[in-house]
């Protein structure tokens, strides 16, 4: 059912079993779980899917080595299990990541760690080799008997400097362990919505629809594209509003103060020497203030981050100049011979971690675990509200599973399927080894006539969904974009028509990595605008205003200043 038809159907028949507010990874995870159990559900997001915190992670799919310091053993164990499951269920987007920790002395950090372990607040300081060894041994242990990734190992100073000649020469040794990274988090989130709709016809996800009010039996939703409102009557509401959870509750006339979010910024750096210095590894290093920072190669550039700063209003979260300076300074400390300047930053992004409200000495000590707080119905409001607080990208499946079990119990229904070995989106049927990959490419080449290198690109971008993309590309004449021959006109049209694109920023920020990779130009934005306009029936004025909207978002939120905006001819 298309968007307008669905909104019309809701106006006539407003009953919804579960209304999920928030299309970040946690809301989308719950939608897929419910769809799998055949429960009718409607998910809405005031913006695009995965445009909040879920678009701003460090892109690590990890157990959270650092959380051991806070004694969050349950979370680390769960995260490692989920990391391993994502490597299997989303092999098209989640890949192993060797991670090296530079270490500057042998024994320091033990006393503060012991005090922290005893529940006494201690800011992190200089973690020595013995402390890192204890942490990594536990990490390997928690990763379980089903060993998907290699165990950690230590390298001497000489070996370390041979592998990474640019590392700060003050190190005494390094440790290398394995975690994973995700290439396209926003796309994996969207695939959960597409999977849910394919599994159960009454599992719907609508972007650009806000919850604006609610009392009695009804909740009022506003279509942000048309401005029209519609009322729905949910049996229960899942508040997966992330950093906006309290404002969603405010709109439901039940003030809460669950969230004490912190903002975090990341930089995308175009610097060949920095990229070469990393090889295929992530550096997981301590900054001068004891905070852990990271950097790793991402799609030909370097991702570096992050910051962790308390913030009240998630709408106000943007990457500030002092955050850029902080991250660049941290790089200078770990790789002093490499000169990275602000001009090398081609893109930045910022998001707010939806953390529980807690008073701690440092933001790093706020728990990264998740829980669900239920607000029961009152005389004023007939439905319960399940609030999804905290959580990592990595643990979305486990969190969604736990919440869904609670919802099923309340609905008097039983679970009939689990998601722990269910492939996501283009992970289903993904060719997992070289032979299978070659076979996949040869077959699709025979079917479509597309060159195998083009098919390989599609496979990397869309996983096994590349088959559907390739069929669409060859169903009518196609040609490469003039301004970016790595994409074709029909590929863009496929994304617009099959992936709920409503604004150009959906396309350049979340369906593709064109902005993130620093590949946008004013002329490319115009070309994309014209293809989108043709697919969605936009007027010239609408196209022009969407180009301007996207240019403003790029400048304000991502530090991408296109020299001028091309006008629709
Ligand atoms: C800087 C940073 C680094 C991180 N790094 C990692 C990492 O490397 N690995 C990892 O596992 N995790 C990481 N995380 C954590 C992870 O990204 C988040 O915990 C997770 O994305 C939270 O998802 P969510 O769905 O709860 O929230 P969000 O993704 O923020 O989704 C909430 C959604 O609710 C919508 N919404 C709000 N109000 C309304 C309304 N009134 N009506 C309709 N919709 C509404 C918003 O538009 C938003 O899309 C990081 C987070 C940040 C910020």
């Amino acid at each position: 059912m298309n968007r307008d038809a669905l909104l019309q159907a809701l106006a006539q028949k407003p009953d919804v079993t579960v209304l999920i507010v928030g299309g970040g990874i946690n809301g989308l995870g719950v939608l897929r779980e419910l769809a799998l159990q055949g429960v009718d559900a409607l998910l809405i997001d005031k913006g695009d899917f995965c445009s909040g915190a879920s678009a701003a992670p460090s892109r690590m799919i990890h157990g959270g080595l650092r959380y051991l310091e806070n004694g969050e053993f349950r979370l680390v164990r769960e995260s490692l299990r989920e990391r391993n499951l994502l490597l299997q269920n989303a092999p098209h987007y989640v890949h192993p990541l060797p991670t090296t920790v530079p270490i500057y002395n042998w024994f320091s950090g033990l006393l503060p760690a012991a005090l922290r372990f005893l529940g006494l607040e201690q800011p992190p300081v200089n973690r020595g080799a013995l402390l890192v060894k204890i942490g990594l041994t536990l990490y390997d242990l928690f990763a379980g008997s089903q060993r998907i990734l290699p165990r950690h190992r230590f390298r001497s100073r000489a070996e370390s400097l041979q592998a990474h000649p640019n590392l700060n020469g003050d190190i005494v040794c390094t440790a290398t362990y394995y975690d994973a990274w995700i290439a396209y988090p926003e796309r994996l989130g969207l695939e959960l919505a597409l999977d849910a709709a394919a599994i159960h016809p009454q599992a719907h996800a609508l972007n650009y629809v806000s919850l604006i009010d609610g009392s009695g039996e009804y909740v009022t939703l506003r279509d942000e594209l048309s401005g029209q409102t519609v009322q729905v009557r949910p049996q229960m509401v899942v508040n997966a509003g992330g950093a906006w959870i309290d404002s969603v509750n405010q709109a439901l006339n039940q003030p809460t103060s669950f969230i004490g979010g912190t903002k975090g910024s990341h930089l995308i750096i175009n610097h060949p020497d920095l990229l070469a210095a990393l090889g295929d590894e992530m550096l997981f290093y301590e900054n001068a203030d004891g905070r852990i920072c990271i950097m790793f190669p991402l799609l030909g550039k370097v991702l570096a981050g992050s910051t962790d700063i308390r913030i009240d209003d998630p709408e106000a979260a943007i990457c500030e100049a002092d955050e850029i300076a902080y991250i660049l300074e941290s790089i200078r400390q770990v790789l002093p011979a490499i000169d990275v300047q602000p001009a090398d930053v081609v893109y930045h992004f910022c998001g707010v971690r939806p953390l529980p409200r807690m008073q701690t000495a440092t933001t790093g000590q706020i728990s990264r675990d998740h829980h669900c707080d239920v607000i029961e119905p009152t005389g004023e409001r007939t439905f319960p509200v399940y609030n999804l607080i905290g959580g990592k990208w990595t643990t979305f499946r486990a969190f969604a599973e736990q919440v869904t079990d609670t919802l099923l119990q309340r609905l008097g229904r039983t679970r009939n399927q689990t998601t722990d070995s269910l492939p996501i989106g283009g992970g289903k049927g993904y060719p997992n080894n070289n032979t299978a990959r070659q076979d996949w490419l040869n077959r699709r080449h025979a079917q479509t006539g597309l060159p195998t290198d083009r098919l390989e690109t599609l496979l990397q971008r869309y996983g096994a969904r590349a088959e559907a993309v390739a069929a669409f590309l060859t169903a009518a004449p196609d040609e490469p974009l003039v301004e970016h021959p790595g994409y074709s006109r029909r590929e863009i049209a496929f994304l617009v028509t099959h992936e709920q694109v409503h604004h150009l920023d959906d396309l350049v920020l979340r369906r593709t990595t064109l902005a993130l990779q620093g590949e946008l130009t004013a002329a490319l934005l115009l070309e994309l605008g014209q293809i989108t306009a043709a697919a969605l029936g936009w007027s010239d004025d609408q196209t022009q205003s969407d180009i301007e909207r996207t240019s403003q978002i790029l400048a304000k939120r991502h530090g991408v200043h296109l020299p001028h905006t091309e006008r629709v001819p």
Side-chain angles (χ1 to χ4, degrees), residues 259-531:
I259 299 294
T262 67
K263 74 162 175 167
S265 295
H266 289 87
L267 313 181
I268 301 290
I269 301 170
N270 186 14
H271 197 299
D273 291 347
L274 182 63
L275 186 64
L278 295 174
D280 62 354
E281 292 188 2
M282 172 159 92
L283 282 183
F284 184 86
Y285 59 98
E286 208 174 72
N287 196 10
D289 57 1
R291 283 199 58 250
I292 300 290
C293 292
I294 55 113
M295 65 179 139
F296 64 92
L298 180 78
L299 308 171
K301 307 285 185 304
V302 172
L303 169 73
S306 70
T307 51
D308 196 5
I309 302 165
R310 288 188 199 270
I311 187 166
D312 288 329
D313 177 9
E315 297 294 335
I318 49 172
C319 174
E320 306 281 356
D322 58 346
E323 292 177 85
I324 297 178
Y326 173 89
I327 297 169
L328 294 184
E329 182 53 33
S330 83
I331 296 174
R332 278 178 212 118
Q333 289 186 19
V334 69
L335 297 168
I338 296 185
D339 181 28
V340 185
Q341 293 297 323
D344 301 317
V345 178
V346 291
Y347 183 83
H348 56 64
F349 57 93
C350 177
V352 179
R353 305 171 180 90
L355 303 177
R357 187 170 290 270
M358 280 173 85
Q359 283 310 322
T360 51
T362 63
T363 48
Q365 287 162 282
I366 304 173
S367 168
R368 262 50 177 178
D369 210 342
H370 51 79
H371 69 277
C372 177
D373 246 301
V374 187
I375 308 177
E376 291 298 338
T378 60
E380 292 293 302
R381 179 180 31 78
T382 58
F383 48 85
V385 181
Y386 289 73
N387 298 278
L388 273 51
I389 297 158
K392 301 292 297 169
W393 223 105
T394 308
T395 51
F396 81 85
R397 194 208 63 84
F399 193 14
E401 184 177 64
Q402 290 149 20
V403 172
T404 301
D405 282 341
T406 319
L407 299 172
L408 289 173
Q409 200 176 21
R410 187 134 188 171
L411 289 167
R413 300 176 61 156
T414 48
R415 172 176 284 280
N416 46 40
Q417 281 190 66
T418 68
T419 44
D420 52 8
S421 54
L422 189 71
I424 303 172
K428 188 174 177 191
Y430 183 73
N432 254 332
N433 56 49
N434 287 344
T435 317
R437 198 173 189 94
Q438 201 49 55
D439 190 43
W440 191 98
L441 293 171
N442 292 342
R443 275 169 195 251
R444 297 325 173 271
H445 171 65
Q447 281 164 0
T448 62
L450 288 173
T452 47
D453 57 348
R454 173 79 170 125
L455 286 162
E456 173 63 42
T457 302
L458 297 179
L459 194 56
Q460 282 174 25
R461 284 183 189 152
Y462 310 112
R465 282 184 76 230
E467 180 168 5
V469 180
F472 184 87
L473 300 191
T474 48
D478 193 15
E479 54 187 312
L481 297 189
V482 175
E483 301 296 335
H484 194 302
Y487 279 87
S488 75
R489 294 181 66 83
R490 280 188 69 77
E491 184 176 350
I492 298 300
F494 178 92
L495 298 178
V496 172
T497 51
H498 290 69
E499 298 193 345
Q500 298 197 40
V501 167
H502 297 295
H503 287 293
L504 268 178
D505 51 282
D506 302 340
L507 191 60
V508 300
L509 292 174
R510 291 171 291 274
R511 304 301 180 275
T512 69
T513 46
L514 284 167
L516 180 129
Q517 289 182 269
E519 291 174 352
L520 271 185
T521 59
L524 176 56
L525 200 56
L526 174 63
E527 189 177 16
L528 294 170
Q530 288 172 320
I531 298 170

Side-chain angles (χ1 to χ4, degrees), residues 180-214:
W181 68 286
I182 178 165
Y184 306 101
E186 302 89 347
R187 292 200 54 79
L188 195 67
L190 176 82
E191 287 188 349
L192 291 173
L194 298 175
D195 284 357
I199 295 166
H200 181 49
Q202 296 308 320
H204 301 291
L206 288 174
N207 48 0
Y208 297 103
V209 172
S210 302
L211 180 149
I212 56 165
D213 194 17

Side-chain angles (χ1 to χ4, degrees), residues 21-27 44-62 209-212 240-244 247-248 262-266 306-307 351-354 388 390-395:
V21 185
I25 194 60
N26 285 324
I44 54 160
D45 197 292
K46 68 181 176 64
D48 192 17
F49 305 120
C50 285
S51 58
S54 301
S58 306
R59 282 174 150 76
M60 289 161 65
I61 297 297
H62 63 147
V209 172
S210 302
L211 180 149
I212 56 165
W244 293 265
S247 66
V248 170
T262 67
K263 74 162 175 167
S265 295
H266 289 87
S306 70
T307 51
V352 179
R353 305 171 180 90
L388 273 51
K392 301 292 297 169
W393 223 105
T394 308
T395 51

